[in-house]
């Protein structure tokens, strides 16, 4: 799984995506559009720039997207 840290505070949870596992279903971009995008060419997941997973509302959306992804291609690594 590709490991990508968003540019938020140092202790912000790590958002991880695997473009290899992604099947381009688009659930993540629908649920958390400020965080996830889809590649125009093949529909696979992309992380947007500028969001912070430290934002409670975004974190909730990210958790929802992780649970909804049919390919298990997303993860959110939280300390607590
Ligand atoms: S929900 Fe999962 S399979 Fe669908 S685009 Fe996002 S990462 Fe890919």
């Amino acid at each position: 799984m590709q490991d990508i840290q968003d540019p938020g505070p140092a202790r912000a949870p790590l958002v991880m995506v695997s473009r290899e596992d992604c099947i381009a279903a688009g659930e993540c971009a629908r649920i958390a559009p400020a965080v996830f995008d889809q590649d125009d060419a093949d529909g696979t997941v992309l992380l947007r720039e500028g969001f912070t997973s430290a934002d409670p509302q975004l974190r909730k959306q990210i958790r929802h997207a992780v649970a909804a992804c049919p390919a298990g291609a997303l993860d959110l690594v939280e300390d607590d």
Side-chain angles (χ1 to χ4, degrees):
M1 182 170 284
Q2 190 175 352
D3 182 327
I4 301 175
Q5 172 69 59
D6 74 76
R11 289 180 58 80
L14 193 63
V15 180
M16 301 175 76
V17 303
S18 170
R19 299 192 67 196
E20 279 184 17
D21 293 331
C22 176
I23 58 171
E27 288 300 301
C28 54
R30 183 183 63 77
I31 294 167
V35 176
F36 301 106
D37 194 8
Q38 288 179 273
D39 191 299
D40 286 340
D42 62 8
T44 54
V45 64
L46 298 171
L47 273 181
R48 292 191 185 275
E49 294 183 7
F51 75 89
T52 172
S53 60
D55 179 296
Q57 188 171 352
L58 282 187
R59 198 182 309 189
K60 188 175 175 183
Q61 290 180 9
I62 294 166
R63 285 196 199 107
H64 184 182
V66 169
C69 176
L74 305 175
D75 200 4
L76 179 67
V77 180
E78 301 181 80
D79 283 343
D80 47 18

